[in-house]
Amino acid sequence: MLDLNSILFSVTLVSLCMGLMLHVFIRSFQPLMRGARPIAWSSIVLGFGTAALALRGISPDLLPVSIVLGNLGTLLSQGLVHVGLCRLVDRHTRLPYVAGVLGTSYLGAIWYTFAMPSLFARVAILSAGLIVAVGLTIWELYCSMRLRKSLATMGLLVVLSILQTSLILRAVLTWLHRDGYDAYFADSPMQAITLMGVLLSLVLGILLCMMLIGERALVRLRESARREDLLTGLPNRMAADEAVEAALQNGAEQGRPTTVVRIDLDNFRQFNDWYGHDVGDAVLRHVTECIRRVLRRGRLLARWGGKGYIVVMPDSDGEAGAGLARDIVLEISLSPLALGHFDIEIAACAGVASSRRSESTSDAVMLAAEAALDSARRNPDGLAKVREID
């Protein structure tokens, strides 16, 4: 006969280890770990739930505590798996339905444990709640596979199907032996086998969710590397081009101008030649923070080439762009970079281009901004007149 307590303790250790390990990864790579937090908590909650279920084998006095905490852990773990998995596969969570079904199952199980003790009714209502919740999760996963298939999602679909089969088998056995269920529950090894199938399927499902989290994180990392400047963390030139194009299109539809501010650092090459590339990198990060202090929400700051930046200002005219350009140039000049016992003074210049034409392209706007920037380099204050694209 299967030693159910050994199974429960093993599942507890595995679940807690997976949950804690996933929490470590979340703290290290949080921007890339979308959907990971509910999965991590589901693993930890499942571990505590199985540990509570194992208490009934230690002492009969602990049976009420074991039922209350063990069932809560199992149901809550499945709900968290549903939420995390839907986030991973970019599906809407059916949280009200899942929460309602699992909450009703838990309250029913508590009722049939203490108010009207019935082992058959308690197991039946718990199995029914889990069957509905797992069914909703399988449906969302199946719908996501129509658009994007992967080995992890196919494995998850198989594991959730096994979990659903184990739950249905447990419910059928419960119904068939409803008249003498207490004796059947105590003597039949099928109860331990089906419970082991449910718990191990949950653990394996969480493990495959972790694989899916890693797979999605790798995709996001590649995407961010393609569209992000690794030194400053800003969007790169490709992302800036797309932002300018989108702003021009939206502005033309609404009859509003789009303005671009092009910023360039003076004599940046000297920083690399005199102090080394590490100092040059520090200058770029410092200038990034200076510009961020000036910007308000709704403005996109991006890296543009080796020593250049660009600010995209949707729904803003050239006058607003000129004011922002002055603020940026002034902020950079008044914020030297502290390097050891001396400060490095940084100077910048800025050019502004604005357009409200629907025919304007990002290339045309950027050419106008570059022309304004060339004019600014010849001015003592580093600023030029706004170039309006007619």
Side-chain angles (χ1 to χ4, degrees):
M1 193 166 181
L2 291 172
D3 185 359
L4 189 57
N5 279 340
S6 298
I7 296 171
L8 291 173
F9 279 122
S10 299
V11 172
T12 298
L13 290 176
V14 172
S15 300
L16 290 177
C17 288
M18 288 195 305
L20 293 174
M21 182 176 64
L22 192 51
H23 267 292
V24 171
F25 281 108
I26 291 173
R27 291 177 63 89
S28 302
F29 307 101
Q30 189 168 1
L32 302 173
M33 305 293 279
R34 182 168 182 256
R37 199 173 298 276
I39 300 297
W41 278 113
S42 72
S43 185
I44 293 175
V45 168
L46 178 62
F48 282 112
T50 52
L53 289 174
L55 292 177
R56 62 185 178 184
I58 298 176
S59 171
D61 297 334
L62 297 175
L63 182 60
V65 177
S66 172
I67 292 174
V68 171
L69 296 181
N71 292 335
L72 177 62
T74 304
L75 293 171
L76 187 56
S77 174
Q78 176 55 41
L80 290 169
V81 166
H82 174 82
V83 173
L85 189 56
C86 288
R87 290 182 181 177
L88 282 173
V89 297
D90 299 321
R91 295 286 299 178
H92 294 294
T93 58
R94 299 182 181 270
L95 190 57
Y97 303 104
V98 173
V101 168
L102 295 181
T104 302
S105 297
Y106 181 68
L107 293 176
I110 297 300
W111 175 264
Y112 285 114
T113 300
F114 299 102
M116 296 178 60
S118 171
L119 181 60
F120 159 72
R122 188 181 78 224
V123 173
I125 198 169
L126 284 172
S127 298
L130 285 171
I131 286 171
V132 174
V134 173
L136 290 173
T137 307
I138 291 175
W139 172 253
E140 294 299 329
L141 186 61
Y142 170 74
C143 291
S144 73
M145 289 182 63
R146 296 178 181 178
L147 300 176
R148 180 172 51 194
K149 293 183 181 180
S150 69
L151 186 62
T153 52
M154 293 177 67
L156 269 170
L157 193 61
V158 171
V159 169
L160 289 176
S161 300
I162 294 173
L163 173 60
Q164 189 78 320
T165 303
S166 300
L167 289 169
I168 293 173
L169 179 61
R170 183 177 173 84
V172 169
L173 291 174
T174 301
W175 177 258
L176 292 176
H177 299 85
R178 59 189 180 278
D179 295 331
Y181 187 76
D182 290 0
Y184 173 75
F185 184 85
D187 298 333
S188 175
M190 286 301 297
Q191 288 298 323
I193 292 173
T194 54
L195 181 59
M196 181 181 68
V198 170
L199 294 176
L200 292 182
S201 297
L202 273 173
V203 171
L204 189 55
I206 293 172
L207 183 61
L208 286 170
C209 283
M210 293 174 66
M211 292 177 58
L212 188 59
I213 289 168
E215 180 183 290
R216 294 289 189 266
L218 184 59
V219 171
R220 293 190 184 100
L221 184 62
R222 288 172 178 169
E223 181 66 18
S224 64
R226 191 175 68 90
R227 300 169 54 84
E228 183 180 300
D229 176 59
L230 298 180
L231 177 62
T232 60
L234 296 175
N236 60 15
R237 188 164 182 159
M238 177 187 297
D241 269 329
E242 294 175 358
V244 173
E245 201 71 51
L248 287 170
Q249 182 176 356
N250 293 334
E253 292 174 356
Q254 301 174 10
R256 297 178 179 177
T258 297
T259 298
V260 170
V261 180
R262 176 76 169 83
I263 306 129
D264 205 54
L265 302 183
D266 296 336
N267 302 323
F268 177 72
R269 183 175 296 178
Q270 294 179 3
F271 294 126
N272 288 326
D273 295 340
W274 293 353
Y275 304 110
H277 289 281
D278 290 340
V279 174
D281 293 345
V283 167
L284 290 173
R285 287 191 288 265
H286 176 72
V287 170
T288 300
E289 293 305 316
C290 291
I291 300 175
R292 279 175 170 162
R293 287 197 294 266
V294 177
L295 291 183
R296 64 180 178 87
R297 296 183 66 179
R299 308 291 190 247
L300 174 72
L301 173 63
R303 181 91 180 274
W304 192 269
K307 57 174 182 171
Y309 296 85
I310 178 179
V311 179
V312 184
M313 304 173 62
D315 302 333
S316 300
D317 57 15
E319 184 178 350
L324 178 62
R326 282 192 295 269
D327 292 341
I328 290 174
V329 170
L330 186 62
E331 179 69 22
I332 293 173
S333 64
L334 295 179
S335 304
L337 173 63
L339 195 66
H341 299 290
F342 60 95
D343 295 338
I344 296 179
E345 295 186 355
I346 309 168
C349 54
V352 181
S354 182
S355 174
R356 62 173 71 241
R357 293 176 54 193
S358 59
E359 299 85 359
S360 296
T361 63
S362 61
D363 290 338
V365 174
M366 291 313 304
L367 284 174
E370 290 288 349
L373 182 64
D374 290 337
S375 177
R377 290 192 179 100
R378 297 188 290 269
N379 289 345
D381 58 0
L383 295 173
K385 293 182 179 180
V386 178
R387 294 295 180 100
E388 297 280 356
I389 301 179
D390 299 324

